Amino acid sequence: MAVIIRLAIAALLSLPLVSGSLAADAKPHRVSIQVDQNDPQIMNLALNNATNVIEYYRARNEDVEIDIVTYGPGLHMLRADTSPVQDRIKRLKDLAFPGKIQFSVCNNTKQSMEKAEGHAISVLSDATIVPSGVVRLMELQEQGWSYVRP
């Protein structure tokens, strides 16, 4: 009987080690969200998706990385002069902390818009310029990121 009790205690004591190692070996949660339309509803839906993902994994005490990639007409989401969702982006950046969220601006689109409009275009301070939005999405998927297009 004493042997059974010792085995039971040993098994119970090893549970945190097993669950901890499973959490450490868990596949990272990473999602890219595409925005290619100058439509506030689409932009807000992308931000809603990101918010829901952050809150879901935060409740599970798990990390998540998000990259919202804009190109074509969707670049307006991250333009300092035309973004209809600037305040939401700032709030989402604050909500995500200490998690990782990136807002990617397609440089091909930015340069095309600058040429068409005849002046430099400023992007939001929370945005990162990438060479190509489509290539960014491809590379993220090749690295195992999930992909969402609202």
Side-chain angles (χ1 to χ4, degrees):
M1 187 68 147
V3 172
I4 293 174
I5 292 174
R6 279 192 217 139
L7 287 174
I9 290 172
L12 288 173
L13 291 175
S14 67
L15 282 177
L17 297 175
V18 171
S19 62
S21 66
L22 291 177
D25 294 338
K27 185 176 177 183
H29 305 293
R30 302 175 303 186
V31 63
S32 60
I33 302 174
Q34 172 183 325
V35 177
D36 64 352
Q37 298 175 53
N38 185 10
D39 180 344
Q41 287 183 314
I42 297 295
M43 295 172 190
N44 277 298
L45 182 55
L47 295 171
N48 290 346
N49 292 160
T51 300
N52 291 341
V53 167
I54 290 166
E55 289 175 348
Y56 176 83
Y57 285 111
R58 179 167 288 149
R60 297 171 58 106
N61 202 27
E62 296 178 34
D63 294 330
V64 65
E65 292 180 55
I66 299 171
D67 193 341
I68 297 179
V69 181
T70 64
Y71 64 90
L75 189 78
H76 285 280
M77 178 179 187
L78 300 176
R79 281 184 59 163
D81 61 340
T82 61
S83 175
V85 291
Q86 289 185 51
D87 293 337
R88 284 206 63 201
I89 289 170
K90 176 70 174 144
R91 287 193 309 268
L92 183 57
K93 190 87 170 178
D94 293 341
L95 171 70
F97 185 80
K100 296 179 185 174
I101 186 163
Q102 178 170 313
F103 298 92
S104 295
V105 171
C106 174
N107 196 43
N108 289 335
T109 300
K110 182 179 179 291
Q111 289 178 346
S112 294
M113 286 182 172
E114 288 174 338
K115 185 175 180 182
E117 295 178 25
H119 62 85
I121 292 173
S122 296
V123 297
L124 301 178
S125 62
D126 292 319
T128 300
I129 297 174
V130 298
S132 166
V134 172
V135 170
R136 175 76 178 158
L137 289 167
M138 289 173 55
E139 290 175 346
L140 291 173
Q141 288 181 53
E142 289 167 356
Q143 295 168 23
W145 287 56
S146 299
Y147 165 81
V148 173
R149 180 172 186 231

